[in-house]
Amino acid sequence: MDRRFVLFMVLAVSVMAANTLIVGYFFPPEPVPKKVAQADAKQGAGKQGDLKPAADKGAAAQAADAEPAPAEAEGQAQPDDAAQEAAAAKPEDDAAPPAPATIESQRLSLGSGDPASPFRMLVYLTNDGAAIERLEMNSPQYLDLEDRSGYLGYLSPADASKRGGAVVRVVGAGSPAAAAGLEPGDVITALGKQKIDSAASLTAALAPTKPGASIELTVLRGDATKTLQATLTRQPLAVIRPEFETKPIASVANGKHDPLSFLMTLEQFDEKLLGDSAEELRDVDLRRGAWEIVSANEVVARFRKKLPALGLELTKTYRLAQAPADESGDNDYPAYSLLLDVAVTNVSDKAHDVAYQLDGPTGLPTEGSWYAIKVSRSWGSAGLRDIIARFEGGATTQVTPAAIAAEDFDTSWSNNPLDYIAVDAQYFSVALVPKAAKADEVWFSRVKPIRVGAVPDDKALIKMTDISFRLTSETAELAPGASIEHGFQIFAGPKRPALLAQYATPNPAVTLSDLVYYGWFGFVAKPMLFILHAFHGVVGNYGLAIIMLTVAVRLCMFPLSRKQALSAQKMQELQPEIKRLNEKYKNEAEKKMRAQQDLFKQHNYHPLGGCMLAFVQLPIFVGLYRSLSVDVSLRQAPLISESIRWASNLAAPDMFWDWSYLMPQFINQGTGFFGLGPYLNILPLFTIGLFIWQQKMFMPPAADEQAALQQKMMQYMMIFMGLLFFKVASGLCVYFIASSIWGITERKLLPKAKSHGQPGGTDAPAPLPSGTSGNGAARGKKRQKGRK
């Protein structure tokens, strides 16, 4: 899509140049993707003995028959419904003795969904792998742009097949579910008059609802039936979410989902090494097994996993940042983060060689997959989410999903001090920053981008592949009672430059502000954004701010645009003489060209002078395009109002009408030249219409057949440009429309060309003096007269 826009910009410049009879266009070559650099050194696979794939202990077992659990205090971890029934079951008299008690699968939450709280996010955790299952922004500035259904809350529902219904496994503070009085362990059996018999039916029943709607929930709580009223809200943006086959899912209860975020396991235990062919070592069940919840409240959750067979104990602690009351209105206060502490402790009576493995976040947003443009740091196309890494003393590196999904992908970094590594989406990022004491301290023997989800069958959708990264710690010899203890800061939020600059890495000179990347035209985009934000501060609407920016740009360029208009008028005046030259030198192209050059020189006309305005505006076009693609402030900024679906996001197409039910899939998915997307967009059509009108109004008449053919080609090119322009951000269309209207008005207000008394009105082109052929004959007669 990036190349499509560059091609459009070149064609747009050609159209403006055609107004002065400079018809020519250039097609840039296809960029050659730069091959991702391979690691200088690769860690050996090591000894592959004593390996086993981890047992699939996903939440599939939680769909068994279950009675609803009694409600506990809000904010506390709640056991899953099926796990309670399994714990209550008694063995037959002749059965083997019961196995040792197992840890129940549970869910809990940190923070709040209420934007008035001291938190910036609501985080859902599971003790299965001690992982982050979902992380939502709570600010109304960061809502889900694609799911417009009503939001009750992330309940992570599971089936309650004994009675039928959907078991609520978690209720986040500050969510509509919490406000309605819903509690973990409740079984939802009806939504209004619609019966709920499973978790899937609950999701389906909520899909057609709208924000602001009031719904009635019938729930079973213990043996009692209760009726609750809930008011739905807009869907918040989930920066981390459970995903399966590149699509978000409402629950992980069926076991079909990509690995969750920040999973941990052992890479090495003495002589046993974990290779790429296995998920976990023998006697280790850390990635999917349930961890013990040591403590949990709205700020801190601490998990512990004991491995008696190895004599090890592992802990993971999440601590959510808060904003003080006096900073609650500051969007750039650095509270978009968690602290993650991991520890591996030797609780045996002998020393062991130990290394651990820590994965990064998964399921970052893929919003706007059919139109989104993400700036690449190389000639290759960026994905919807990429790996961004920076090591001490090195440059920032970007690895795309296309590279990671390749069968021969083998890129990693070995034994380098890590500044930060992130999974980076268009407007949001989740970065992991080691809290090392020194910038040159090496914690990891290997850092590697990984694929955690399936590669889409359609190669055009590889950019949506779910990716993450994997950190392998240096091997440490742990004496009895000794530990490996590492702390990390997890940034999860919007890519606002002022916010990211406050997140320092082990090298204080390096911050996360590097995640904001404008490309080559950053020198234009940054000052333009400064002006745009200043205008927005005055009028409070980015649509109006873009129009004000257009007016400011056109005012600054008025001398150039006036010169272009006068040049076009001069060309109209010269048309009769150019026509005579074409007839006189019909078969002598070289003489005709010299004669035209003499004519232009005699009348002080420069054919390329009218093109200056187009070429000067090109960086501004690209700068605004980059701004809309990068600046999160322009995401979700409406042209009129956010309550109106049309043009509710200036960083996206205007989406006037959903025509997806009429169009084939290759159009709806938005990939390829004819992938227009699932919506009819009218702002691009209006923009192209203005271009055509402007061309017809001001294009001088063709002087010969070649010029006529070129003008006809330009008319056909408009159709081609319309296809290229169809998915351009509506904010850029607003700029083009305002600029075109300004240009038309400016040309209309300039004085008309003099008629020199010709019949037919003042708009008729003025003839040149008799005998002026443009080939030097007139000047020759003047010189002869002077000698006489």
Side-chain angles (χ1 to χ4, degrees), residues 261-522:
S261 298
F262 301 105
L263 296 174
M264 181 181 181
T265 190
L266 293 180
E267 170 70 19
Q268 178 178 352
F269 180 76
D270 291 337
E271 297 299 321
K272 302 173 185 177
L273 291 177
L274 180 63
D276 294 334
S277 61
E279 191 174 51
E280 302 209 86
L281 294 171
R282 188 181 300 277
D283 299 321
V284 174
D285 190 13
L286 296 169
R287 292 175 58 84
R288 296 174 182 261
W291 293 46
E292 175 190 356
I293 299 177
V294 178
S295 60
N297 55 42
E298 64 179 1
V299 178
V300 180
R302 187 167 184 262
F303 301 89
R304 178 172 58 202
K305 184 73 170 180
K306 297 180 179 180
L307 302 176
L310 304 183
L312 299 178
E313 180 177 293
L314 290 84
T315 60
K316 292 172 72 175
T317 303
Y318 297 93
R319 185 175 292 103
L320 185 60
Q322 303 178 67
D326 57 345
E327 300 286 355
S328 59
D330 184 5
N331 290 330
D332 292 328
Y333 185 84
Y336 292 90
S337 57
L338 303 95
L339 294 179
L340 170 61
D341 295 320
V342 300
V344 182
T345 304
N346 182 4
V347 294
S348 71
D349 56 1
K350 67 175 185 176
H352 295 290
D353 292 331
V354 176
Y356 71 83
Q357 201 181 78
L358 178 66
D359 289 357
T362 64
L364 267 72
T366 56
E367 60 183 13
S369 59
W370 59 276
Y371 66 81
I373 302 296
K374 191 166 179 290
V375 183
S376 175
R377 296 172 187 262
S378 64
W379 278 110
S381 298
L384 291 179
R385 40 201 177 188
D386 304 300
I387 299 299
I388 306 294
R390 180 158 181 163
F391 295 86
E392 180 60 20
T396 304
T397 303
Q398 179 179 18
V399 186
T400 66
I404 298 172
E407 293 183 0
D408 58 349
F409 178 75
D410 193 27
T411 296
S412 63
W413 302 275
S414 300
N415 300 304
N416 291 325
L418 178 66
D419 287 334
Y420 72 87
I421 186 167
V423 180
D424 185 63
Q426 184 174 12
Y427 298 107
F428 299 87
S429 191
V430 181
L432 191 71
V433 181
K435 304 305 288 181
K438 299 179 181 179
D440 59 354
E441 192 172 344
V442 177
W443 281 7
F444 306 107
S445 62
R446 190 184 189 196
V447 177
K448 180 181 180 179
I450 60 172
R451 173 179 60 83
V452 296
V455 177
D457 294 333
D458 188 343
K459 299 304 180 185
L461 300 178
I462 286 181
K463 63 181 181 179
M464 298 181 65
T465 305
D466 197 359
I467 61 173
S468 187
F469 52 81
R470 177 165 293 164
L471 313 178
T472 301
S473 73
E474 291 277 344
T475 302
E477 182 180 353
L478 297 184
S483 300
I484 301 174
E485 297 182 356
H486 287 161
F488 304 89
Q489 188 171 37
I490 301 172
F491 169 82
K495 296 195 298 186
R496 297 172 61 92
L499 171 65
L500 293 171
Q502 300 177 70
Y503 286 92
T505 69
N507 181 351
V510 177
T511 67
L512 293 183
S513 57
D514 190 43
L515 293 173
V516 179
Y517 181 70
Y518 294 95
W520 290 354
F521 287 86

Side-chain angles (χ1 to χ4, degrees), residues 766-783:
L768 293 172
S770 177
T772 305
S773 63
N775 60 356
R779 291 195 300 274
K781 291 180 180 180
K782 290 180 181 179
R783 288 195 293 270

